[in-house]
Amino acid sequence: MSNEKVHAMVDATGSVVVVGDALIDEFRTPEGSEDFVGGAALNVAVGLARLGVATTLVAMVGDDADGEKIRDFLSEYGVELIATPSPRGTARAISDRTDGEPRYSFNEASVERFIEVDDRVRQAIDAAPFVVVSCLRFDSAEQVELLFSAVSDPQTRLLIDPNPREGMLHSAHDFVANFERVASTALLVKVGDEDAALLYNASLPMLTEGLMATGSQTVLSTAGRDGASIATESGILVHQPITLMSEPVVDTMGAGDSTLASVAASLVEARERGGLPETVDEWQAVLERAMAVAAATCRTKGALLQLPPSATLPV
C-alpha cells in the first residue's frame, strides 16, 4: 500500500473504538506449543492502526503475564488500550492439534468474559467517529444492554461482527436474539459462512437475506475462498472474489478480521471526504481493497493484517 493511501486513512474527529476480545492464542502441535497475541477485536484494532487509523481497543485484560504480552503488542502498533476489569485473568484460547484434527478450548476468563462500561469507555465511545464491536458476549442481555446503551446514533457509526465461538456460547438462542436486535440498528453488520452454520444452521446467503429483511442497513458477508459481498438497504449488491497473488496461502486465521478492518478504514476515509459510500462503484472499491488486504494477510502466519502491494488496490 502506498504511503499516500495509508495517510489518507486517518480520522480527524477521534479514535475509532473497537470493543470485544483480547486474548492469547495457544497453538499445540506434535512439535510443541506456541503463543500468539490475538482475539478478533484486537486483530481488528491492530489492523485499523496498520491502515493508518487512530484506534482504541476496549477489552478485558488481566494483570498477569499474558496481559502484559497483550499490552506490549498493542503498544508496538500504536493502539490505545482501555483495559476493563478481568478478575479471572487474561483470556486464553487453545487450539490443540497434537492428535490430528484440531480441538478448541477456552479458559474461564474467555467463557465468562464481561466488559464493564465506565466513564472512560463512555467518553471514548462518545468521541469516536465509528464503534466496531467484535466477539462480544451477545448471549448476555446485561452485557448487550450495558454496551449498546452507550452508543448513540448506532445507525451512523456502529459496525458489529458477532464472531461466535462454539466453546464460548452459553445460549445460542439468546445470542441470536440479542445479536439480531442490535444488528437492526447498526450501520454495518459483518457475518461469515461459519456464523451462518453455527448460529442458524443455514447458508450465508440465507443469513444475509434474513438480516436485510429485519432491518440491517448494510451487510458484509464473507465466504472464505469465495470472496465477500456487500448488500445495502438501498438495493445495492456487490461481490468481490478473493484477490489472486503469486505467493501461497499460509494461514487463513486473520482473513475475516482483516476484511472488517479494511472496510472500517474505508468508511473512515469516505467520511473524511464528506460522506459514506452510496454507489455500486464506491462499495465495489471498498470490497476490492478489503479482499486485497485479506489475501495479503493470508500469505503470512498469524492474524496480523498485512498491507497488500499497491498494484492490487483500486485506484
Side-chain angles (χ1 to χ4, degrees), residues 207-274:
L207 174 53
T208 299
E209 290 175 11
L211 289 170
M212 297 301 298
T214 54
S216 294
Q217 285 188 64
T218 308
V219 178
L220 166 64
S221 306
T222 59
R225 67 182 63 186
D226 293 326
S229 301
I230 287 177
T232 74
E233 62 180 352
S234 65
I236 289 174
L237 177 61
V238 296
H239 176 77
Q240 184 69 29
I242 197 73
T243 302
L244 298 178
M245 293 183 176
S246 58
E247 300 85 356
V249 171
V250 174
D251 190 347
T252 62
M253 178 186 297
D257 297 334
S258 62
T259 297
L260 180 57
S262 178
V263 169
S266 291
L267 296 186
V268 170
E269 182 183 12
R271 179 162 287 181
E272 286 299 297
R273 295 196 303 264

Side-chain angles (χ1 to χ4, degrees), residues 1 5-7 9 43-55 73 76-79 261 265 293 297 300 303-308:
M1 179 177 290
K5 286 187 178 289
V6 169
H7 292 307
M9 293 185 190
N43 292 338
V44 173
V46 173
L48 278 164
R50 284 179 58 77
L51 291 168
V53 178
T55 308
F73 186 83
E76 178 182 352
Y77 289 100
V79 176
V293 169
T297 301
T300 62
L304 181 64
L305 182 147
Q306 300 296 319
L307 304 179

Side-chain angles (χ1 to χ4, degrees), residues 16-19 124-125 128-133 147 151 157-160:
V16 170
V17 171
V18 182
V19 184
I125 288 175
F130 294 101
V131 180
V132 184
V133 176
L147 177 62
V151 183
R157 63 194 190 107
L158 177 62
L159 290 68
I160 61 173

Side-chain angles (χ1 to χ4, degrees), residues 21-315:
D21 60 332
L23 50 76
I24 298 297
D25 280 313
E26 178 183 345
F27 292 90
R28 298 176 181 175
T29 67
E31 290 73 37
S33 178
E34 191 172 4
D35 287 352
F36 296 91
V37 173
L42 180 145
N43 292 338
V44 173
V46 173
L48 278 164
R50 284 179 58 77
L51 291 168
V53 178
T55 308
T56 298
L57 175 66
V58 178
M60 290 176 57
V61 179
D63 294 322
D64 49 24
D66 284 348
E68 194 60 31
K69 292 178 185 176
I70 290 172
R71 288 179 173 87
D72 289 345
F73 186 83
L74 293 172
S75 177
E76 178 182 352
Y77 289 100
V79 176
E80 181 180 349
L81 172 66
I82 298 179
T84 66
S86 187
R88 297 176 177 85
T90 298
R92 180 171 278 259
I94 300 169
S95 172
D96 191 336
R97 299 165 188 260
T98 56
D99 295 321
E101 289 297 317
R103 294 171 296 167
Y104 300 94
S105 60
F106 303 89
N107 68 354
E108 187 181 13
S110 294
V111 176
E112 302 299 333
R113 67 199 188 284
F114 191 93
I115 295 175
E116 299 289 348
V117 179
D118 59 14
D119 288 343
R120 296 175 306 159
V121 176
R122 291 182 184 276
Q123 289 168 7
I125 288 175
D126 285 344
F130 294 101
V131 180
V132 184
V133 176
S134 183
C135 205
L136 189 74
R137 188 175 162 186
F138 276 97
D139 49 16
S140 166
E142 181 184 2
Q143 174 70 99
V144 172
E145 183 61 32
L146 183 64
L147 177 62
F148 289 100
S149 65
V151 183
S152 61
D153 301 321
Q155 68 277 6
T156 65
R157 63 194 190 107
L158 177 62
L159 290 68
I160 61 173
D161 182 354
N163 237 318
R165 298 289 184 267
E166 187 171 12
M168 297 165 70
L169 276 176
H170 292 255
S171 167
H173 176 271
D174 292 345
F175 192 107
V176 167
N178 290 320
F179 162 63
E180 289 183 350
R181 179 168 62 87
V182 176
S184 67
T185 71
L187 170 64
L188 182 142
V189 180
K190 175 196 169 292
V191 288
D193 45 8
E194 293 181 353
D195 304 334
L198 177 59
L199 294 177
Y200 294 88
N201 193 28
S203 68
L204 183 57
M206 290 175 62
L207 174 53
T208 299
E209 290 175 11
L211 289 170
M212 297 301 298
T214 54
S216 294
Q217 285 188 64
T218 308
V219 178
L220 166 64
S221 306
T222 59
R225 67 182 63 186
D226 293 326
S229 301
I230 287 177
T232 74
E233 62 180 352
S234 65
I236 289 174
L237 177 61
V238 296
H239 176 77
Q240 184 69 29
I242 197 73
T243 302
L244 298 178
M245 293 183 176
S246 58
E247 300 85 356
V249 171
V250 174
D251 190 347
T252 62
M253 178 186 297
D257 297 334
S258 62
T259 297
L260 180 57
S262 178
V263 169
S266 291
L267 296 186
V268 170
E269 182 183 12
R271 179 162 287 181
E272 286 299 297
R273 295 196 303 264
L276 296 179
E278 294 181 349
T279 68
V280 168
D281 288 345
E282 288 170 341
W283 279 116
Q284 194 75 59
V286 168
L287 207 51
E288 187 178 347
R289 171 185 283 163
M291 289 297 92
V293 169
T297 301
C298 290
R299 265 64 187 181
T300 62
K301 187 176 181 180
L304 181 64
L305 182 147
Q306 300 296 319
L307 304 179
S310 58
T312 65
L313 292 169
V315 177

